[in-house]
Amino acid sequence: MASSVLRSQIPLGGICDVESAKHVARRLFESYDRDRNGILDQGEVAPMMVDAYKGMSKGFNPSKSDIDTYLRILDRNGDGKITIQDIEALAIKYLVGITGESPKRPKRQYSKFVEERLDVARRLFRKFDQDGSGFITENEVPQLLIETYKSMGIHYNPTLRRCQIMDEND
């Protein structure tokens, strides 16, 4: 099912889960780490850049400056080496939609009414996120909806299939 709401373990805005992103990163890393030393160097990064542009139907011959810039971007932990961990961090950031960095934005201020509703939503989410992963699985959605509607004084008893149909109509 190509569901954005009911996909298990895929955060909003992501296209895959963390393990899938790591798998993509490993395959990518292994295909360019030609000397199998566990580090991508300039000679291995240049073909990566050329292939990325080919994928967009564009020709590109990177200069040394281009390669140096790309190396700095790929070096997520700043240790001067491009390792599998660096590629995994990028894959997670762009494929899963999460980063290890916490956002540096101020907390939004809401009205008392909205804050009360958010508190209910957070409480219900924590109740159904029993493993603390930050995700609600597809099978937990109907019960979450029942509890959410119940907190608003509305009787609603959706089935898993009804939730899937609602999601397909989005």
Side-chain angles (χ1 to χ4, degrees), residues 48-59:
M48 182 186 290
M49 295 173 72
V50 170
D51 289 348
Y53 277 85
K54 272 186 199 172
M56 297 180 282
S57 300
K58 299 191 183 291

Side-chain angles (χ1 to χ4, degrees), residues 56-97:
M56 297 180 282
S57 300
K58 299 191 183 291
F60 182 64
N61 186 15
S63 67
K64 177 160 177 15
S65 175
D66 293 327
I67 295 168
D68 289 342
T69 299
Y70 202 59
L71 285 167
R72 281 192 301 279
I73 291 168
L74 292 175
D75 185 14
R76 301 305 293 170
N77 63 7
D79 67 358
K81 301 173 187 171
I82 311 306
T83 62
I84 184 63
Q85 290 80 17
D86 294 312
I87 304 300
E88 284 178 348
L90 281 166
I92 291 167
K93 177 179 180 179
Y94 291 106
L95 299 177
V96 182

Side-chain angles (χ1 to χ4, degrees), residues 1 6 138-142 158-165:
M1 169 174 62
L6 299 178
E138 182 174 317
N139 292 331
E140 295 167 329
V141 170
T159 63
L160 177 58
R161 181 64 192 138
R162 179 67 188 136
C163 292
Q164 291 169 334
I165 290 169

Side-chain angles (χ1 to χ4, degrees), residues 18-167:
V18 171
E19 286 309 309
S20 296
K22 285 183 176 184
H23 177 73
V24 168
R26 279 190 299 278
R27 291 195 57 200
L28 181 69
F29 188 87
E30 289 168 0
S31 68
Y32 289 99
D33 184 24
R34 293 193 174 115
D35 59 10
R36 303 288 182 243
N37 69 350
I39 298 170
L40 296 179
D41 57 35
Q42 284 185 346
E44 294 164 326
V45 168
M48 182 186 290
M49 295 173 72
V50 170
D51 289 348
Y53 277 85
K54 272 186 199 172
M56 297 180 282
S57 300
K58 299 191 183 291
F60 182 64
N61 186 15
S63 67
K64 177 160 177 15
S65 175
D66 293 327
I67 295 168
D68 289 342
T69 299
Y70 202 59
L71 285 167
R72 281 192 301 279
I73 291 168
L74 292 175
D75 185 14
R76 301 305 293 170
N77 63 7
D79 67 358
K81 301 173 187 171
I82 311 306
T83 62
I84 184 63
Q85 290 80 17
D86 294 312
I87 304 300
E88 284 178 348
L90 281 166
I92 291 167
K93 177 179 180 179
Y94 291 106
L95 299 177
V96 182
I98 58 175
T99 65
E101 306 142 13
S102 59
K104 305 282 193 264
R105 56 186 167 161
K107 186 177 180 195
R108 292 189 61 181
Q109 299 295 316
Y110 298 102
S111 69
K112 182 178 179 184
F113 175 80
V114 171
E115 280 296 337
E116 289 171 356
R117 296 296 183 261
L118 287 171
D119 286 342
V120 169
R122 288 182 191 110
R123 180 180 48 78
L124 289 171
F125 186 89
R126 282 190 301 272
K127 178 179 177 181
F128 288 95
D129 180 27
Q130 293 180 353
D131 64 357
S133 67
F135 300 96
I136 301 296
T137 64
E138 182 174 317
N139 292 331
E140 295 167 329
V141 170
Q143 192 60 39
L144 174 64
L145 287 174
I146 291 168
E147 293 288 327
T148 301
Y149 280 104
K150 186 185 203 181
S151 74
M152 295 184 289
I154 300 169
H155 177 71
Y156 180 61
N157 195 10
T159 63
L160 177 58
R161 181 64 192 138
R162 179 67 188 136
C163 292
Q164 291 169 334
I165 290 169
M166 286 188 300
D167 186 54

